[in-house]
Amino acid sequence: MSILNILRYPDPRLHKIAKPVNAFDARLAKLVDDMAETMYEAPGVGLAATQVDVHEQVIVIDVTETKEGLTAFINPEIIWTSEDRQVYDEGCLSVPGVYDGVERPSRVKVRAFDVKGEQFELEADGLLAVCIQHEMDHLVGKVFVEYLSPLKRNRIKTKMIKEERGIARDKALQGRRY
């Protein structure tokens, strides 16, 4: 397994729309394993393939404390949402250190395939429902900050760009020999 590079907002690749998975093979299984390892290492509770620059409809989620509840959702589709909504403070591995309230349906039902190509349905509420919706947004090129006001979004974008410049500068300085 490998740790994958997570794209950081506002990287334009985060806005690419993912294509459906057609082959349930060893390559897909390795991608899911690598994504899970990357998510746990980050640490996070969900990761979409889009975030690691693979534009296929694949997400991994584990909202358990024990890290024993990993679920892979291949070609997921939400087939039902509740009318009642909730605001949840969301964060994102592609927008590190930023959390803000996003309103979403409080319960969802999702249909997807597992890594072996077996179809399943899952009804979720609470953090799992939020996570499913958040990660599925990535598959259509949407980052959670797009639910925020333009002012907040621009502040976050500026912050992320400044941080990225600082990281690049630090890496360049580390490469110098004195």
Side-chain angles (χ1 to χ4, degrees):
M1 293 197 298
S2 303
I3 301 291
L4 305 170
N5 182 47
I6 298 173
L7 300 176
R8 288 175 55 108
Y9 180 80
D11 191 309
R13 294 172 289 180
L14 288 168
H15 298 293
K16 287 186 180 179
I17 296 174
K19 303 226 182 302
V21 170
N22 295 316
F24 294 84
D25 55 12
R27 183 200 62 80
L28 177 64
K30 181 174 180 356
L31 173 63
V32 167
D33 287 345
D34 290 348
M35 286 175 59
E37 184 177 6
T38 302
M39 176 188 71
Y40 289 132
E41 177 72 21
V45 294
L47 186 67
T50 301
Q51 293 176 270
V52 294
D53 203 20
V54 176
H55 303 283
E56 297 179 56
Q57 295 178 8
V58 179
I59 61 178
V60 294
I61 296 175
D62 186 350
V63 296
T64 66
E65 294 288 327
T66 59
K67 298 181 179 180
E68 295 175 0
L70 181 69
T71 304
F73 297 81
I74 315 300
N75 300 337
E77 60 178 316
I78 293 176
I79 57 175
W80 173 84
T81 62
S82 65
E83 289 184 23
D84 53 309
R85 300 175 70 82
Q86 68 180 7
V87 175
Y88 202 94
D89 258 358
E90 295 187 26
C92 183
L93 296 176
S94 292
V95 194
V98 175
Y99 299 88
D100 211 318
V102 175
E103 183 179 298
R104 298 183 185 271
S106 59
R107 295 185 325 266
V108 298
K109 187 172 188 178
V110 64
R111 178 183 299 138
F113 293 91
D114 65 17
V115 74
K116 295 177 183 173
E118 298 293 321
Q119 190 175 60
F120 67 94
E121 290 183 3
L122 176 74
E123 194 165 326
D125 61 5
L127 178 58
L128 181 57
V130 170
C131 195
I132 288 168
Q133 293 171 82
H134 175 109
E135 299 307 333
M136 286 183 66
D137 276 352
H138 281 297
L139 300 181
V140 294
K142 191 167 187 175
V143 180
F144 92 97
V145 297
E146 294 171 46
Y147 288 98
L148 308 178
S149 71
L151 178 64
K152 281 186 178 180
R153 192 170 46 249
N154 286 333
R155 285 181 177 165
I156 291 166
K157 184 176 184 178
T158 299
K159 177 184 176 193
M160 292 295 115
I161 290 169
K162 284 180 181 177
E163 285 180 9
E164 193 63 33
R165 285 183 189 145
I167 291 168
R169 184 188 67 243
D170 291 348
K171 285 181 181 178
L173 291 174
Q174 287 174 355
R176 290 185 182 172
R177 294 182 184 225
Y178 294 96

